[in-house]
mmCIF file of all heavy atoms in Angstrom:
data_model
loop_
_atom_site.group_PDB
_atom_site.id
_atom_site.type_symbol
_atom_site.label_atom_id
_atom_site.label_comp_id
_atom_site.label_asym_id
_atom_site.label_seq_id
_atom_site.Cartn_x
_atom_site.Cartn_y
_atom_site.Cartn_z
ATOM 1 N N ILE A 126 0.864 -1.201 -0.007
ATOM 2 C CA ILE A 126 0.041 0.009 0.062
ATOM 3 C C ILE A 126 0.802 1.273 0.022
ATOM 4 O O ILE A 126 0.514 2.213 -0.664
ATOM 5 C CB ILE A 126 -0.913 0.000 1.285
ATOM 6 C CG1 ILE A 126 -2.012 -1.171 1.113
ATOM 7 C CG2 ILE A 126 -1.672 1.355 1.333
ATOM 8 C CD1 ILE A 126 -2.873 -1.395 2.203
ATOM 9 N N GLY A 127 1.990 1.257 0.837
ATOM 10 C CA GLY A 127 2.917 2.320 0.740
ATOM 11 C C GLY A 127 3.480 2.626 -0.590
ATOM 12 O O GLY A 127 3.652 3.658 -1.000
ATOM 13 N N ARG A 128 3.873 1.441 -1.240
ATOM 14 C CA ARG A 128 4.460 1.703 -2.620
ATOM 15 C C ARG A 128 3.518 2.342 -3.513
ATOM 16 O O ARG A 128 3.806 2.993 -4.464
ATOM 17 C CB ARG A 128 4.981 0.341 -3.115
ATOM 18 C CG ARG A 128 6.135 -0.089 -2.353
ATOM 19 C CD ARG A 128 6.953 -1.166 -3.065
ATOM 20 N NE ARG A 128 7.599 -0.687 -4.284
ATOM 21 C CZ ARG A 128 8.714 0.063 -4.268
ATOM 22 N NH1 ARG A 128 9.290 0.307 -3.187
ATOM 23 N NH2 ARG A 128 9.166 0.343 -5.453
ATOM 24 N N GLN A 129 2.144 1.890 -3.470
ATOM 25 C CA GLN A 129 1.207 2.442 -4.329
ATOM 26 C C GLN A 129 1.100 3.943 -4.067
ATOM 27 O O GLN A 129 0.914 4.771 -4.973
ATOM 28 C CB GLN A 129 -0.127 1.786 -4.208
ATOM 29 C CG GLN A 129 -0.109 0.357 -4.638
ATOM 30 C CD GLN A 129 -1.536 -0.229 -4.593
ATOM 31 O OE1 GLN A 129 -2.265 0.058 -3.813
ATOM 32 N NE2 GLN A 129 -1.805 -1.206 -5.455
ATOM 33 N N MET A 130 1.026 4.302 -2.850
ATOM 34 C CA MET A 130 1.115 5.784 -2.493
ATOM 35 C C MET A 130 2.228 6.593 -2.903
ATOM 36 O O MET A 130 2.119 7.698 -3.128
ATOM 37 C CB MET A 130 0.881 5.920 -0.883
ATOM 38 C CG MET A 130 -0.577 5.415 -0.398
ATOM 39 S SD MET A 130 -0.714 5.672 1.302
ATOM 40 C CE MET A 130 -2.414 5.014 1.596
ATOM 41 N N LEU A 131 3.340 5.850 -3.006
ATOM 42 C CA LEU A 131 4.501 6.466 -3.566
ATOM 43 C C LEU A 131 4.634 6.551 -5.119
ATOM 44 O O LEU A 131 5.477 7.110 -5.721
ATOM 45 C CB LEU A 131 5.804 5.791 -3.010
ATOM 46 C CG LEU A 131 6.015 5.973 -1.535
ATOM 47 C CD1 LEU A 131 7.167 4.980 -1.118
ATOM 48 C CD2 LEU A 131 6.638 7.346 -1.254
ATOM 49 N N GLY A 132 3.511 5.924 -5.624
ATOM 50 C CA GLY A 132 3.528 5.758 -7.158
ATOM 51 C C GLY A 132 4.507 4.830 -7.758
ATOM 52 O O GLY A 132 4.840 5.031 -8.923
ATOM 53 N N LYS A 133 4.867 3.797 -7.058
ATOM 54 C CA LYS A 133 5.778 2.817 -7.514
ATOM 55 C C LYS A 133 5.101 1.390 -7.554
ATOM 56 O O LYS A 133 4.275 1.066 -6.797
ATOM 57 C CB LYS A 133 7.039 2.749 -6.573
ATOM 58 C CG LYS A 133 7.737 4.064 -6.523
ATOM 59 C CD LYS A 133 8.928 3.932 -5.459
ATOM 60 C CE LYS A 133 9.694 5.278 -5.396
ATOM 61 N NZ LYS A 133 10.866 5.164 -4.402
ATOM 62 N N LEU A 134 5.636 0.636 -8.494
ATOM 63 C CA LEU A 134 5.314 -0.814 -8.556
ATOM 64 C C LEU A 134 6.316 -1.549 -7.993
ATOM 65 O O LEU A 134 7.466 -1.227 -7.855
ATOM 66 C CB LEU A 134 5.098 -1.223 -10.067
ATOM 67 C CG LEU A 134 3.950 -0.504 -10.793
ATOM 68 C CD1 LEU A 134 3.923 -0.929 -12.315
ATOM 69 C CD2 LEU A 134 2.652 -0.764 -10.077
ATOM 70 N N PRO A 135 5.959 -2.774 -7.497
ATOM 71 C CA PRO A 135 7.013 -3.665 -6.842
ATOM 72 C C PRO A 135 8.013 -4.041 -7.886
ATOM 73 O O PRO A 135 7.740 -4.322 -9.061
ATOM 74 C CB PRO A 135 6.189 -4.894 -6.433
ATOM 75 C CG PRO A 135 4.780 -4.455 -6.265
ATOM 76 C CD PRO A 135 4.618 -3.321 -7.286
ATOM 77 N N GLU A 136 9.391 -4.033 -7.481
ATOM 78 C CA GLU A 136 10.367 -4.233 -8.403
ATOM 79 C C GLU A 136 10.429 -5.796 -8.737
ATOM 80 O O GLU A 136 10.102 -6.514 -7.823
ATOM 81 C CB GLU A 136 11.724 -3.872 -7.641
ATOM 82 C CG GLU A 136 11.835 -2.410 -7.375
ATOM 83 C CD GLU A 136 11.423 -2.199 -5.971
ATOM 84 O OE1 GLU A 136 10.769 -3.013 -5.400
ATOM 85 O OE2 GLU A 136 11.770 -1.159 -5.393
ATOM 86 N N PRO A 137 10.853 -6.161 -9.881
ATOM 87 C CA PRO A 137 10.945 -7.676 -10.215
ATOM 88 C C PRO A 137 12.052 -8.191 -9.369
ATOM 89 O O PRO A 137 13.165 -7.688 -9.266
ATOM 90 C CB PRO A 137 11.395 -7.644 -11.629
ATOM 91 C CG PRO A 137 11.024 -6.321 -12.253
ATOM 92 C CD PRO A 137 11.078 -5.397 -11.080
ATOM 93 N N THR A 138 11.730 -9.308 -8.627
ATOM 94 C CA THR A 138 12.749 -9.779 -7.631
ATOM 95 C C THR A 138 12.207 -11.212 -7.329
ATOM 96 O O THR A 138 10.930 -11.603 -7.394
ATOM 97 C CB THR A 138 12.813 -8.976 -6.357
ATOM 98 O OG1 THR A 138 13.611 -9.702 -5.458
ATOM 99 C CG2 THR A 138 11.495 -8.647 -5.658
ATOM 100 N N GLU A 139 13.036 -12.089 -6.794
ATOM 101 C CA GLU A 139 12.652 -13.357 -6.396
ATOM 102 C C GLU A 139 12.298 -13.402 -4.862
ATOM 103 O O GLU A 139 11.890 -14.401 -4.298
ATOM 104 C CB GLU A 139 13.793 -14.315 -6.528
ATOM 105 C CG GLU A 139 14.131 -14.513 -8.051
ATOM 106 C CD GLU A 139 15.284 -15.569 -8.216
ATOM 107 O OE1 GLU A 139 15.768 -16.022 -7.233
ATOM 108 O OE2 GLU A 139 15.618 -15.787 -9.414
ATOM 109 N N GLU A 140 12.331 -12.249 -4.253
ATOM 110 C CA GLU A 140 11.960 -12.236 -2.840
ATOM 111 C C GLU A 140 10.617 -12.363 -2.601
ATOM 112 O O GLU A 140 9.690 -11.941 -3.377
ATOM 113 C CB GLU A 140 12.479 -10.736 -2.222
ATOM 114 C CG GLU A 140 13.961 -10.567 -2.175
ATOM 115 C CD GLU A 140 14.302 -9.222 -1.551
ATOM 116 O OE1 GLU A 140 13.383 -8.395 -1.585
ATOM 117 O OE2 GLU A 140 15.404 -8.999 -1.136
ATOM 118 N N LYS A 141 10.249 -13.163 -1.519
ATOM 119 C CA LYS A 141 8.815 -13.468 -1.152
ATOM 120 C C LYS A 141 8.115 -12.223 -0.931
ATOM 121 O O LYS A 141 6.774 -12.262 -1.029
ATOM 122 C CB LYS A 141 8.737 -14.369 -0.061
ATOM 123 C CG LYS A 141 9.333 -15.832 -0.371
ATOM 124 C CD LYS A 141 9.288 -16.723 0.941
ATOM 125 C CE LYS A 141 9.881 -18.007 0.549
ATOM 126 N NZ LYS A 141 9.848 -19.002 1.721
ATOM 127 N N VAL A 142 8.679 -11.225 -0.412
ATOM 128 C CA VAL A 142 7.947 -9.991 -0.066
ATOM 129 C C VAL A 142 7.025 -9.490 -1.165
ATOM 130 O O VAL A 142 6.140 -8.762 -0.919
ATOM 131 C CB VAL A 142 8.898 -8.939 0.490
ATOM 132 C CG1 VAL A 142 9.665 -8.283 -0.609
ATOM 133 C CG2 VAL A 142 8.145 -7.886 1.264
ATOM 134 N N VAL A 143 7.392 -9.748 -2.472
ATOM 135 C CA VAL A 143 6.718 -9.169 -3.482
ATOM 136 C C VAL A 143 5.805 -10.207 -4.238
ATOM 137 O O VAL A 143 5.529 -10.019 -5.516
ATOM 138 C CB VAL A 143 7.480 -8.253 -4.561
ATOM 139 C CG1 VAL A 143 8.083 -7.083 -3.780
ATOM 140 C CG2 VAL A 143 8.544 -9.190 -5.103
ATOM 141 N N GLU A 144 5.542 -11.220 -3.620
ATOM 142 C CA GLU A 144 4.711 -12.265 -4.295
ATOM 143 C C GLU A 144 3.242 -12.059 -4.228
ATOM 144 O O GLU A 144 2.465 -12.913 -4.646
ATOM 145 C CB GLU A 144 5.130 -13.812 -3.768
ATOM 146 C CG GLU A 144 6.521 -14.166 -4.241
ATOM 147 C CD GLU A 144 6.809 -15.557 -3.779
ATOM 148 O OE1 GLU A 144 6.095 -16.090 -3.010
ATOM 149 O OE2 GLU A 144 7.951 -16.067 -4.132
ATOM 150 N N LEU A 145 2.830 -11.130 -3.404
ATOM 151 C CA LEU A 145 1.442 -10.728 -3.314
ATOM 152 C C LEU A 145 0.906 -10.153 -4.560
ATOM 153 O O LEU A 145 1.664 -9.709 -5.394
ATOM 154 C CB LEU A 145 1.137 -9.768 -2.112
ATOM 155 C CG LEU A 145 1.398 -10.315 -0.712
ATOM 156 C CD1 LEU A 145 1.243 -9.053 0.273
ATOM 157 C CD2 LEU A 145 0.485 -11.450 -0.389
ATOM 158 N N ASP A 146 -0.449 -10.184 -4.731
ATOM 159 C CA ASP A 146 -1.161 -9.510 -5.787
ATOM 160 C C ASP A 146 -0.691 -7.986 -5.808
ATOM 161 O O ASP A 146 -0.902 -7.330 -4.750
ATOM 162 C CB ASP A 146 -2.580 -9.637 -5.693
ATOM 163 C CG ASP A 146 -3.414 -8.927 -6.712
ATOM 164 O OD1 ASP A 146 -2.826 -8.273 -7.572
ATOM 165 O OD2 ASP A 146 -4.650 -9.104 -6.705
ATOM 166 N N ALA A 147 -0.146 -7.569 -6.829
ATOM 167 C CA ALA A 147 0.322 -6.189 -6.934
ATOM 168 C C ALA A 147 -0.823 -5.098 -6.647
ATOM 169 O O ALA A 147 -0.441 -3.920 -6.380
ATOM 170 C CB ALA A 147 0.956 -5.928 -8.275
ATOM 171 N N SER A 148 -2.038 -5.404 -6.829
ATOM 172 C CA SER A 148 -3.097 -4.468 -6.449
ATOM 173 C C SER A 148 -3.107 -4.208 -5.000
ATOM 174 O O SER A 148 -3.639 -3.142 -4.513
ATOM 175 C CB SER A 148 -4.508 -5.148 -6.792
ATOM 176 O OG SER A 148 -4.753 -6.149 -5.966
ATOM 177 N N GLY A 149 -2.575 -5.110 -4.158
ATOM 178 C CA GLY A 149 -2.687 -4.882 -2.727
ATOM 179 C C GLY A 149 -3.946 -5.299 -2.131
ATOM 180 O O GLY A 149 -4.198 -5.236 -0.867
ATOM 181 N N LEU A 150 -4.863 -5.805 -2.949
ATOM 182 C CA LEU A 150 -6.159 -6.230 -2.446
ATOM 183 C C LEU A 150 -6.147 -7.649 -1.944
ATOM 184 O O LEU A 150 -5.826 -8.506 -2.635
ATOM 185 C CB LEU A 150 -7.205 -6.063 -3.678
ATOM 186 C CG LEU A 150 -8.718 -6.301 -3.159
ATOM 187 C CD1 LEU A 150 -9.107 -5.123 -2.303
ATOM 188 C CD2 LEU A 150 -9.496 -6.284 -4.458
ATOM 189 N N ILE A 151 -6.632 -7.821 -0.744
ATOM 190 C CA ILE A 151 -6.794 -9.150 -0.110
ATOM 191 C C ILE A 151 -8.273 -9.400 0.037
ATOM 192 O O ILE A 151 -8.987 -8.535 0.608
ATOM 193 C CB ILE A 151 -5.973 -9.329 1.188
ATOM 194 C CG1 ILE A 151 -4.504 -9.246 0.899
ATOM 195 C CG2 ILE A 151 -6.404 -10.669 1.843
ATOM 196 C CD1 ILE A 151 -3.694 -9.307 2.095
ATOM 197 N N ASP A 152 -8.761 -10.493 -0.402
ATOM 198 C CA ASP A 152 -10.203 -10.762 -0.382
ATOM 199 C C ASP A 152 -10.666 -10.757 1.067
ATOM 200 O O ASP A 152 -10.094 -11.330 2.017
ATOM 201 C CB ASP A 152 -10.565 -12.025 -1.083
ATOM 202 C CG ASP A 152 -12.029 -12.149 -1.268
ATOM 203 O OD1 ASP A 152 -12.804 -11.090 -1.335
ATOM 204 O OD2 ASP A 152 -12.523 -13.365 -1.357
ATOM 205 N N ILE A 153 -11.957 -10.280 1.175
ATOM 206 C CA ILE A 153 -12.745 -10.549 2.457
ATOM 207 C C ILE A 153 -14.088 -11.024 1.996
ATOM 208 O O ILE A 153 -14.710 -10.537 1.199
ATOM 209 C CB ILE A 153 -12.932 -9.075 3.188
ATOM 210 C CG1 ILE A 153 -11.604 -8.457 3.453
ATOM 211 C CG2 ILE A 153 -13.788 -9.283 4.382
ATOM 212 C CD1 ILE A 153 -11.778 -7.031 4.032
ATOM 213 N N SER A 154 -14.451 -12.128 2.653
ATOM 214 C CA SER A 154 -15.704 -12.821 2.340
ATOM 215 C C SER A 154 -16.445 -12.891 3.668
ATOM 216 O O SER A 154 -15.991 -13.660 4.514
ATOM 217 C CB SER A 154 -15.531 -14.144 1.748
ATOM 218 O OG SER A 154 -15.114 -14.007 0.358
ATOM 219 N N ARG A 155 -17.594 -12.175 3.825
ATOM 220 C CA ARG A 155 -18.404 -12.188 5.120
ATOM 221 C C ARG A 155 -19.830 -12.172 4.700
ATOM 222 O O ARG A 155 -20.220 -11.820 3.597
ATOM 223 C CB ARG A 155 -17.958 -11.020 6.027
ATOM 224 C CG ARG A 155 -16.599 -11.027 6.532
ATOM 225 C CD ARG A 155 -16.403 -12.162 7.603
ATOM 226 N NE ARG A 155 -15.083 -12.062 8.352
ATOM 227 C CZ ARG A 155 -13.977 -12.544 7.861
ATOM 228 N NH1 ARG A 155 -14.009 -13.155 6.727
ATOM 229 N NH2 ARG A 155 -12.812 -12.357 8.483
ATOM 230 N N TYR A 156 -20.709 -12.583 5.577
ATOM 231 C CA TYR A 156 -22.125 -12.538 5.504
ATOM 232 C C TYR A 156 -22.867 -11.290 5.944
ATOM 233 O O TYR A 156 -22.406 -10.701 6.950
ATOM 234 C CB TYR A 156 -22.713 -13.648 6.253
ATOM 235 C CG TYR A 156 -22.417 -15.050 5.645
ATOM 236 C CD1 TYR A 156 -21.311 -15.813 6.075
ATOM 237 C CD2 TYR A 156 -23.140 -15.591 4.628
ATOM 238 C CE1 TYR A 156 -21.010 -16.952 5.485
ATOM 239 C CE2 TYR A 156 -22.826 -16.779 3.987
ATOM 240 C CZ TYR A 156 -21.733 -17.533 4.390
ATOM 241 O OH TYR A 156 -21.385 -18.762 3.902
ATOM 242 N N ASP A 157 -23.828 -10.766 5.253
ATOM 243 C CA ASP A 157 -24.589 -9.647 5.662
ATOM 244 C C ASP A 157 -25.701 -10.058 6.618
ATOM 245 O O ASP A 157 -25.802 -11.259 6.970
ATOM 246 C CB ASP A 157 -25.041 -8.811 4.477
ATOM 247 C CG ASP A 157 -26.140 -9.565 3.641
ATOM 248 O OD1 ASP A 157 -26.688 -10.567 4.107
ATOM 249 O OD2 ASP A 157 -26.385 -9.277 2.445
ATOM 250 N N ALA A 158 -26.511 -9.079 7.088
ATOM 251 C CA ALA A 158 -27.601 -9.411 8.090
ATOM 252 C C ALA A 158 -28.578 -10.386 7.497
ATOM 253 O O ALA A 158 -29.339 -11.055 8.318
ATOM 254 C CB ALA A 158 -28.184 -8.068 8.466
ATOM 255 N N LYS A 159 -28.733 -10.606 6.258
ATOM 256 C CA LYS A 159 -29.686 -11.387 5.701
ATOM 257 C C LYS A 159 -29.141 -12.747 5.220
ATOM 258 O O LYS A 159 -29.820 -13.572 4.606
ATOM 259 C CB LYS A 159 -30.360 -10.778 4.448
ATOM 260 C CG LYS A 159 -31.143 -9.494 4.686
ATOM 261 C CD LYS A 159 -31.723 -8.826 3.448
ATOM 262 C CE LYS A 159 -32.489 -7.623 3.801
ATOM 263 N NZ LYS A 159 -33.144 -7.060 2.626
ATOM 264 N N GLY A 160 -27.921 -12.978 5.612
ATOM 265 C CA GLY A 160 -27.255 -14.264 5.275
ATOM 266 C C GLY A 160 -26.651 -14.426 4.051
ATOM 267 O O GLY A 160 -26.281 -15.584 3.559
ATOM 268 N N LYS A 161 -26.528 -13.287 3.174
ATOM 269 C CA LYS A 161 -25.826 -13.302 1.919
ATOM 270 C C LYS A 161 -24.388 -13.115 2.085
ATOM 271 O O LYS A 161 -23.922 -12.192 2.696
ATOM 272 C CB LYS A 161 -26.480 -12.219 0.993
ATOM 273 C CG LYS A 161 -25.901 -12.227 -0.462
ATOM 274 C CD LYS A 161 -26.550 -11.177 -1.292
ATOM 275 C CE LYS A 161 -25.898 -11.283 -2.713
ATOM 276 N NZ LYS A 161 -26.541 -10.251 -3.550
ATOM 277 N N LEU A 162 -23.534 -13.991 1.399
ATOM 278 C CA LEU A 162 -22.112 -13.894 1.374
ATOM 279 C C LEU A 162 -21.715 -12.821 0.394
ATOM 280 O O LEU A 162 -22.151 -12.775 -0.790
ATOM 281 C CB LEU A 162 -21.516 -15.215 1.051
ATOM 282 C CG LEU A 162 -19.948 -15.280 1.121
ATOM 283 C CD1 LEU A 162 -19.517 -15.142 2.444
ATOM 284 C CD2 LEU A 162 -19.499 -16.784 0.501
ATOM 285 N N HIS A 163 -20.839 -11.914 0.848
ATOM 286 C CA HIS A 163 -20.250 -10.844 -0.027
ATOM 287 C C HIS A 163 -18.767 -11.035 -0.143
ATOM 288 O O HIS A 163 -18.033 -11.016 0.887
ATOM 289 C CB HIS A 163 -20.655 -9.496 0.488
ATOM 290 C CG HIS A 163 -22.080 -9.262 0.422
ATOM 291 N ND1 HIS A 163 -22.746 -8.591 -0.705
ATOM 292 C CD2 HIS A 163 -23.161 -9.360 1.315
ATOM 293 C CE1 HIS A 163 -24.004 -8.459 -0.499
ATOM 294 N NE2 HIS A 163 -24.215 -8.948 0.728
#
């Protein structure tokens, strides 16, 4: 998230630190008050 705010993309590297989705988005799946999964 910090790199995105700095306007930078993760550098190509074999380090595990940049193996995440470059969007920075991690899924959240939870139910609403009516029992629907979002």
Side-chain angles (χ1 to χ4, degrees):
I126 292 172
R128 290 197 68 76
Q129 288 184 336
M130 292 181 177
L131 289 166
K133 299 179 179 180
L134 296 175
E136 303 91 339
T138 175
E139 296 180 356
E140 292 181 340
K141 295 180 181 179
V142 73
V143 294
E144 289 182 357
L145 291 178
D146 180 354
S148 72
L150 188 68
I151 294 175
D152 189 29
I153 300 173
S154 292
R155 295 287 189 275
Y156 291 92
D157 65 17
K159 296 181 180 180
K161 181 180 179 180
L162 183 65
H163 293 272

